[in-house]
Amino acid sequence: MKCRKCGAKASVNMRQHKLALCKEHYLEWVPEQTERFIKKYNMFTRDEKILVAVSGGKDSLSLWDILVRLDYRADGLYLGLGIDGGIGYSHESQRLTEKFAAQNHLKLHIVDIEKEYGQPIPLLSDISHRGHGKPCAVCGLTKRHEMNRIARDLGYDVLATGHNLDDEASVLFGNTLVWEGDFLLRQGPVLPAADGLSRKVKPLCRFYEREMAAYAIARGIEYIYEECPFAAGSTSIYYKELLNQLETTRPGAKLTFYLRFLEARKNGLFQERENRELNLHPCSNCGQLTSAPDLCSFCRMMEKVRLAE
Ligand code: AMP
Ligand code: FES
Ligand code: ZN
Ligand code: ZN
């Protein structure tokens, strides 16, 4: 395989795009594509302040790296979840995130959930009896809530996460299997700002997971290889495997599934639902928008935790 741009030996072959590139041209191609997506979906401009949620994994560290290389004003946010799993998961991911920030002279905010709320994620999950023995539901809820809170409190215009195409296609697949209307209406590269919530963007949503791994490795970014120890056996991983099987026989199927969904929605697939008022109002405690009657799910969970103490 030869690089399409220079004819040298290709180091990344992307069957899904019928494109092979050498390392040097790959490292140019990724930011070029990212810039194209940022513009296409009106994610943000160079005047805006961006908060990148960084987990220490390949996607979010690469995202931060790309945005900085593209001259965007991007600071980082790391959430200390207090997950050990026998591999010091949170500890190691924090170390790698701090190392990346220091090496590149970037500003990193660190919020430790245990310091902030008295308990690490696994104990918040046990105490609140949410998620049936697995902390992932509480973890997801808490991460969303904290990212929104910090972005708003620190005055960032936009919050960026490292979700890649595999993440997005797997969520879309799960929501489509049961036709989750509200989720299908909201899933996408950009979630506009609303009362108390910053705009949320996913600049990597069109990159395959292996494209991001190749980028991180080519850039020499040190990231945590391990998945969260609680992720094993999750439905989202199962859906990713299914979609990868499909992708093996039909290269590009994953991307088409996601892009055609965005297109169909733009063309009015969910119009009727969109017109109906989404019944959201600010949580009476934290002010973030919620469809629950009074407190948002996060504040309800924390109330339960407090009562149990
Ligand atoms: P996940 O939900 O683990 O698939 O992560 C999706 C995205 O959420 C990542 O790409 C990051 O942008 C963000 N994220 C996940 N975990 C953390 C964390 N501990 N601190 C900050 N951001 C995170
Ligand atoms: Fe939150 Fe695994 S339970 S990252
Ligand atoms: Zn080349
Ligand atoms: Zn709340």
Side-chain angles (χ1 to χ4, degrees):
M1 272 287 173
K2 292 206 165 128
C3 170
R4 183 194 284 176
K5 299 237 164 110
C6 70
K9 189 173 171 297
S11 61
V12 187
N13 179 23
M14 296 171 282
R15 282 208 301 158
Q16 62 276 16
H17 309 306
K18 299 191 178 65
L19 177 65
L21 293 171
C22 69
K23 178 174 159 180
E24 186 193 326
H25 282 116
Y26 187 67
L27 287 177
E28 282 176 12
W29 180 80
V30 169
E32 273 166 22
Q33 292 294 306
T34 313
E35 177 75 357
R36 196 162 73 83
F37 304 150
I38 291 170
K39 295 237 164 72
K40 178 177 170 63
Y41 299 109
N42 293 317
M43 291 189 180
F44 42 75
T45 64
R46 286 190 170 71
D47 300 328
E48 290 183 300
K49 275 178 69 193
I50 305 159
L51 184 65
V52 187
V54 197
S55 67
K58 60 184 180 325
D59 304 299
S60 47
L61 281 176
S62 295
L63 172 61
W64 203 7
D65 181 74
I66 294 166
L67 294 183
V68 170
R69 281 181 72 199
L70 287 171
D71 268 330
Y72 283 103
R73 299 165 61 193
D75 298 341
L77 166 66
Y78 175 84
L79 299 171
L81 306 169
I83 293 173
D84 184 74
I87 53 168
Y89 177 74
S90 287
H91 191 268
E92 183 61 6
S93 53
Q94 179 167 344
R95 185 183 72 80
L96 293 170
T97 307
E98 286 181 317
K99 186 171 173 185
F100 180 88
Q103 277 173 347
N104 295 281
H105 313 288
L106 299 172
K107 180 160 175 184
L108 173 66
H109 306 279
I110 297 180
V111 172
D112 190 274
I113 298 299
E114 181 171 3
K115 278 191 204 134
E116 209 70 33
Y117 297 101
Q119 309 285 355
I121 293 289
L123 288 180
L124 282 180
S125 174
D126 284 348
I127 299 169
S128 65
H129 298 292
R130 272 172 168 260
H132 316 284
K134 275 222 164 205
C136 305
V138 165
C139 180
L141 176 66
T142 307
K143 281 194 289 202
R144 262 194 314 281
H145 188 275
E146 290 300 283
M147 287 176 197
N148 286 330
R149 180 177 71 86
I150 311 289
R152 178 189 64 186
D153 288 359
L154 301 183
Y156 285 91
D157 300 296
V158 36
L159 173 71
T161 53
H163 293 93
N164 59 38
L165 177 68
D166 294 51
D167 297 324
E168 294 303 288
S170 135
V171 169
L172 176 60
F173 186 66
N175 286 337
T176 307
L177 278 180
V178 291
W179 295 108
E180 275 284 6
D182 285 344
F183 290 124
L184 289 170
L185 194 59
R186 290 161 57 82
Q187 189 189 348
V190 178
L191 197 59
D195 266 353
L197 295 181
S198 307
R199 182 184 334 137
K200 283 201 220 175
V201 300
K202 300 169 184 167
L204 304 181
C205 66
R206 291 176 60 156
F207 286 107
Y208 281 68
E209 184 171 316
R210 59 177 287 268
E211 293 169 8
M212 274 305 119
Y215 179 85
I217 292 166
R219 284 284 289 161
I221 296 173
E222 256 190 277
Y223 63 89
I224 184 155
Y225 292 101
E226 283 85 12
E227 292 264 2
C228 163
F230 295 111
S234 67
T235 25
S236 75
I237 291 191
Y238 175 60
Y239 293 156
K240 282 183 184 174
E241 286 165 4
L242 285 180
L243 291 167
N244 281 338
Q245 282 180 32
L246 180 65
E247 183 77 23
T248 311
T249 44
R250 301 176 58 184
K254 226 182 321 199
L255 186 58
T256 305
F257 176 55
Y258 182 62
L259 291 184
R260 288 287 173 85
F261 156 70
L262 295 181
E263 207 178 291
R265 188 177 54 192
K266 201 169 149 211
N267 293 334
L269 183 62
F270 298 102
Q271 205 98 61
E272 206 178 307
R273 197 168 187 113
E274 214 158 347
N275 293 342
R276 243 182 288 149
E277 192 78 13
L278 266 180
N279 208 4
L280 297 179
H281 63 88
C283 163
S284 63
N285 182 53
C286 73
Q288 292 188 22
L289 284 187
T290 176
S291 57
D294 176 28
L295 293 174
C296 74
S297 327
F298 179 80
C299 292
R300 244 181 310 140
M301 171 184 84
M302 290 312 302
E303 199 173 58
K304 221 163 161 185
V305 168
R306 244 172 265 123
L307 289 175
E309 272 168 0

